[in-house]
Amino acid sequence: MSALTVGEALVAELRRREVACVFGIPGVHTIELYRGLAASGIRHVTPRHEQGAGFMADGYARVSGKPGVAFVITGPGLTNTLTPMAQARSDSVPLLVVSGVNPTASLGKGMGHLHELPDQLKLAQTVALLSEQVSDADQLDPVVDRAFQRLTTERPGPVHIEVPLDVAAHPYVAAPIALSHTECQAGTDLISEAASRLAEAGRVVIVAGGGAKRAEGALQALAEALDAPVVQTVNARGLMHDHPLTVPASPSLPAVRYLIEDADCVLALGTELGPTDFDMYATGQMAEMHGLIRVDRCRDQLARHAAKVAIHGDVELVAPVLAASLPKTAKKGEGEMRAKLARTAALDEIGPDYREIVDILNAIRDAVPNALVIGDSTQPIYAGNLYYDHDRAGGWFNAATGYGALGYGIPAAVGAAIAAPSTPVVCIVGDGGAQFSLPEIMAAVDENLPVIFVIWNNSGYGEIATSMRDVGVTVIGCNPTPPDFAATAKSFGIPYFEARAEPQVVARKLRDAVAVKGPSMIEITAAKLVPTKD
């Protein structure tokens, strides 16, 4: 029996770690990776651009809870993937990028080889949490093991492995290794102290972040035991849908900031307390958090904000123990009233234009219940990030916060649909953002994925134009002509629906699209925010 190549062995190691899907565009610099892929049982999905591969892997990871994997070529393949890597780092998404690199003897020589970079590894290290080269056959196992150790412990993010062309083709016989995996373990003394402080507090508020999205049961138990309103950051939306203690609104809104500041004890679960989650309006103010207790799997994050109690651990593991440590008798107070007042005031504060859009989002949710709603930077997503109560834990995510990469929505929705084939997926993207990654819809066609691509067409970069006008800057560069989306859908071979920006109309078109059982497009014609040129 002939030995595996290093490239084949790498694929085998991925399979061993239960990787089920890889997103990538094959090239001459990744052929040895693909040698073993066909026989591995790992599904391969072909995007139209390496940036799409990274965003697909991101969407897949957020939904599946497992690392998303992208295969890219040397040089431009990797540089095209740096943006998704940065987005994944910002949002703590486990993303593994495997790239080729030129032959070992050529590296750093500047001889003009195909796809050559001055130092590809150092470039990747500026964004990745870990970036390593498989410099020889015997380095494969330890490199892959360290990569998965980083992906699955502490705060997740992007990890990069590069394999030189000559090394990828070397013969290799895989040696069994023990997979290393450790969970962050929280100290029982700290949990006891946190439980005591929470039990003694009179007005608790819980701030839930993306790290809590797989701990809904424990979160609800905590909220009910403490009579505590639950403020959700963007990545936590969908938790405790329609619960009387839920506050699905941005802490940048004065009503939500007041709710937090009025508390005598704040419990922050799995949130970095970052500016884009807490200050979307860029006021420069963060809500003061009295008696702050934090639970986070990242030690560095815990050190960035002073807290009375800082518990290092996974919310999914810590929250049930914390809930069980509280007194058996639930507090009786005004938690539901405090939450209701905050919800009512927050919805008023977003203004009439955004309230109309939230009505449309509610109509989408009710027309396609329990859906994954993935978004780009566009008006409906901005409105929803400020105020929107989704009905599925982890079912609302987008790239409009954190790194804020345009073009995210379409490919991320493809990855999400691969991860959850029985779940409806709705992608909301603006006409401007859609043009960053419109061809990735063809990956949904290739895979026959039931993704509904909702194009919010206000004929330009409407939000940017508004921001320019607000500070007295002449609007320029905000009028990119949108394509004919009906003709585009026809060229893609998918059904097309057109809707006015009215809740009932949009809901009816959504129900029609769901019946398609494959990819479809809905264009919502919204009011133009960008004045047309004379």
Side-chain angles (χ1 to χ4, degrees), residues 190-209:
L190 287 176
I191 292 177
S192 296
E193 182 182 352
S196 176
R197 288 176 176 271
L198 290 166
E200 292 172 1
R203 296 182 313 283
V204 178
V205 166
I206 298 173
V207 178

Side-chain angles (χ1 to χ4, degrees), residues 345-365:
L347 187 58
D348 181 66
E349 287 167 0
I350 67 174
D353 292 342
Y354 270 3
R355 282 198 297 276
E356 288 181 6
I357 295 175
V358 170
D359 286 342
I360 292 174
L361 292 175
N362 291 338
I364 292 173
R365 178 196 64 211

Side-chain angles (χ1 to χ4, degrees), residues 85-104:
M85 290 170 68
Q87 184 72 51
R89 180 163 185 151
S90 178
D91 286 345
S92 303
V93 177
L95 172 64
L96 174 61
V97 174
V98 180
S99 77
V101 72
N102 284 317
T104 306

Side-chain angles (χ1 to χ4, degrees), residues 442-463:
M442 286 305 297
V445 174
D446 289 348
E447 303 294 327
N448 194 31
L449 302 174
V451 181
I452 303 170
F453 296 97
V454 177
I455 312 293
W456 182 266
N457 191 350
N458 58 14
S459 298
Y461 299 139
E463 289 291 330

Side-chain angles (χ1 to χ4, degrees), residues 119-454:
D119 193 328
Q120 180 175 287
L121 194 65
K122 282 187 177 179
L123 179 62
Q125 287 170 346
T126 63
V127 177
L129 298 176
L130 178 72
S131 178
E132 292 200 57
Q133 182 187 107
V134 179
S135 56
D136 208 333
D138 61 2
Q139 290 299 305
L140 177 63
D141 285 348
V143 166
V144 174
D145 197 37
R146 284 193 294 270
F148 275 83
Q149 179 82 357
R150 193 63 185 83
L151 287 164
T152 56
T153 63
E154 292 291 320
R155 185 186 183 200
V159 169
H160 168 244
I161 296 173
E162 69 175 21
V163 187
L165 289 179
D166 53 325
V167 175
H170 282 176
Y172 176 79
V173 177
I177 59 170
L179 300 184
S180 57
H181 180 78
T182 58
E183 297 283 0
C184 5
Q185 300 292 337
T188 55
D189 290 346
L190 287 176
I191 292 177
S192 296
E193 182 182 352
S196 176
R197 288 176 176 271
L198 290 166
E200 292 172 1
R203 296 182 313 283
V204 178
V205 166
I206 298 173
V207 178
K213 68 181 181 181
R214 302 186 192 279
E216 184 174 39
L219 174 65
Q220 184 168 326
L222 283 167
E224 292 172 351
L226 297 167
D227 189 40
V230 179
V231 176
Q232 304 163 8
T233 69
V234 171
N235 285 325
R237 296 295 173 82
L239 289 167
M240 294 176 57
H241 168 64
D242 204 29
H243 192 285
L245 287 170
T246 199
V247 183
S250 168
S252 69
L253 297 168
V256 183
R257 186 179 292 129
Y258 172 79
L259 174 70
I260 294 171
E261 292 182 338
D262 185 56
D264 57 0
C265 186
V266 175
L267 174 61
L269 300 172
T271 171
E272 67 178 356
L273 305 178
T276 51
D277 265 341
F278 277 78
D279 193 23
M280 289 174 60
Y281 278 160
T283 62
Q285 298 177 340
M286 288 277 286
E288 186 176 355
M289 301 181 194
H290 303 288
L292 178 62
I293 298 170
R294 293 191 69 189
V295 180
D296 202 282
R297 67 186 303 182
C298 177
R299 293 186 188 277
D300 291 340
Q301 285 295 341
L302 288 173
R304 287 175 185 143
H305 295 274
K308 296 296 184 181
V309 182
I311 300 173
H312 175 232
D314 193 316
V315 173
E316 197 172 351
L317 301 175
V318 175
V321 180
L322 183 57
S325 302
L326 294 172
K328 301 302 181 186
T329 303
K331 290 183 180 181
K332 300 293 183 183
E334 300 179 344
E336 292 186 6
M337 180 58 66
R338 290 157 59 214
K340 181 178 180 180
L341 289 173
R343 288 195 302 269
T344 302
L347 187 58
D348 181 66
E349 287 167 0
I350 67 174
D353 292 342
Y354 270 3
R355 282 198 297 276
E356 288 181 6
I357 295 175
V358 170
D359 286 342
I360 292 174
L361 292 175
N362 291 338
I364 292 173
R365 178 196 64 211
D366 296 342
V368 193
N370 205 38
L372 293 163
V373 179
I374 293 92
D376 216 282
S377 293
T378 187
Q379 270 187 306
I381 298 303
Y382 298 142
N385 284 351
L386 283 172
Y387 190 102
Y388 170 64
D389 189 12
H390 195 52
D391 64 348
R392 180 190 181 98
W396 170 274
F397 59 87
N398 54 77
T401 62
Y403 197 62
L406 269 170
Y408 172 86
I410 290 174
V414 171
I418 295 287
S422 61
T423 302
V425 177
V426 178
C427 173
I428 301 177
V429 58
D431 60 288
Q435 293 180 72
F436 278 60
S437 54
L438 196 59
E440 302 300 351
I441 290 177
M442 286 305 297
V445 174
D446 289 348
E447 303 294 327
N448 194 31
L449 302 174
V451 181
I452 303 170
F453 296 97
V454 177

